[in-house]
């Protein structure tokens, strides 16, 4: 993935509650919702990340897009007008905010997945350089083996991205080289 331009990524994910960013979201939504039916599928939103937001690095992180899509659909408080399998405009701001967060988590996950196989083994997690990275992101951890067991909720012996996201949310993980929004 190389060096990421976090300022560009942040500028293309307008999730703040300002009039300017609302207008940006409306314009983006119009370009993503090509059918004009008021809702988009996971496939449409994924294409939108690539073609409308023009964020190739984020597009390459499909697990982050997938997780943000499902998260945004789950947090809506009002009754949905369309099938629950689709994302509506009123959920789009949540999607963009979650995408930013989960993309950051994906960057962290990729850094500790030294085998680049989409999962983190116990051996990878317990290595000294991984411990140093994780403690930079979340603070001191006394028992790395115990922390691994806590993250590996399905007890499969590997940490999957979905498990890592749940843990990262709980720990308020923050990688050191991104540009955080105010």
């Amino acid at each position: 993935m190389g060096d990421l331009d976090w300022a560009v990524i942040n500028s293309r994910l307008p999730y703040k509650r300002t009039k300017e960013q609302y207008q940006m979201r409306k314009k983006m939504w119009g370009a993503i919702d090509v059918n004009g039916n008021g809702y988009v599928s996971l496939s449409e939103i994924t294409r939108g990340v690539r073609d409308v937001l023009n964020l190739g690095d984020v597009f390459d992180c499909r697990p982050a897009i997938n997780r943000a899509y499902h998260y945004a659909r789950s947090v809506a408080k009002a009754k949905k007008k369309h099938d629950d399998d689709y994302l509506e405009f009123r959920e789009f701001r949540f999607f963009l905010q979650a995408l930013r967060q989960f993309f950051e988590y994906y960057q962290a996950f990729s850094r500790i997945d030294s085998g680049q196989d989409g999962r983190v083994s116990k051996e990878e997690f317990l290595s000294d350089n991984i411990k140093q990275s994780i403690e930079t992101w979340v603070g001191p951890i006394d028992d790395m083996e115990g922390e691994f067991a806590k993250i590996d909720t399905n007890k499969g012996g590997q940490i999957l991205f979905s498990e890592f996201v749940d843990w990262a949310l709980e720990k308020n993980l923050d990688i050191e080289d991104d540009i955080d929004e105010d």
Side-chain angles (χ1 to χ4, degrees):
M1 261 176 254
D3 292 332
L4 297 171
D5 188 338
W6 285 100
V8 169
I9 292 167
N10 290 340
S11 73
R12 294 190 185 158
L13 297 172
Y15 61 81
K16 291 184 179 176
R17 292 180 187 237
T18 66
K19 190 172 192 152
E20 177 187 353
Q21 290 207 355
Y22 175 81
Q23 293 304 322
M24 290 172 67
R25 285 193 300 277
K26 284 294 270 188
K27 185 177 178 184
M28 287 176 176
W29 181 260
I32 293 170
D33 181 16
V34 293
N35 300 324
N37 57 12
Y39 57 90
V40 296
S41 67
L42 176 58
S43 176
E44 289 170 311
I45 203 81
T46 301
R47 270 193 314 274
V49 168
R50 180 191 66 206
D51 299 341
V52 177
L53 278 62
N54 196 19
L55 290 172
D57 287 321
V58 178
F59 176 75
D60 292 339
C61 299
R62 303 271 174 82
I65 297 170
N66 190 1
R67 184 70 189 251
Y69 177 84
H70 292 288
Y71 173 79
R73 287 183 23 248
S74 73
V75 297
K77 294 187 181 7
K79 187 174 188 239
K80 293 181 76 72
K81 294 178 184 173
H82 304 285
D83 189 328
D84 199 35
D85 291 336
Y86 297 99
L87 188 73
E88 298 177 6
F89 177 73
R90 62 188 174 79
E91 300 162 320
F92 189 48
R93 186 181 73 79
F94 294 119
F95 169 77
L96 294 172
Q97 187 171 19
L99 182 58
R100 167 60 176 84
Q101 190 68 47
F102 297 157
F103 180 65
E104 180 177 348
Y105 294 164
Y106 192 83
Q107 297 309 303
F109 183 79
S110 295
R111 292 176 191 181
I112 65 172
D113 177 16
S114 59
Q116 298 300 304
D117 57 359
R119 54 192 179 197
V120 177
S121 69
K122 192 173 193 175
E123 292 74 30
E124 286 172 307
F125 190 79
L126 296 178
S127 71
D128 289 337
N129 59 334
I130 299 299
K131 178 178 172 48
Q132 182 179 6
S133 292
I134 289 175
E135 288 186 334
T136 298
W137 303 331
V138 301
I141 296 178
D142 296 327
D143 179 11
M144 287 295 283
E145 225 170 300
E147 202 68 23
F148 179 89
K150 185 174 156 186
I151 301 169
D152 181 21
T153 57
N154 73 358
K155 305 302 178 212
Q158 305 273 341
I159 297 172
L160 306 176
F161 179 65
S162 60
E163 295 170 319
F164 184 79
V165 167
D166 292 339
W167 175 79
L169 285 167
E170 179 185 310
K171 293 287 192 179
N172 196 23
L173 183 145
D174 184 26
I175 62 174
E176 71 281 2
D177 57 354
D178 70 328
I179 299 172
D180 291 318
E181 294 276 302
D182 296 328

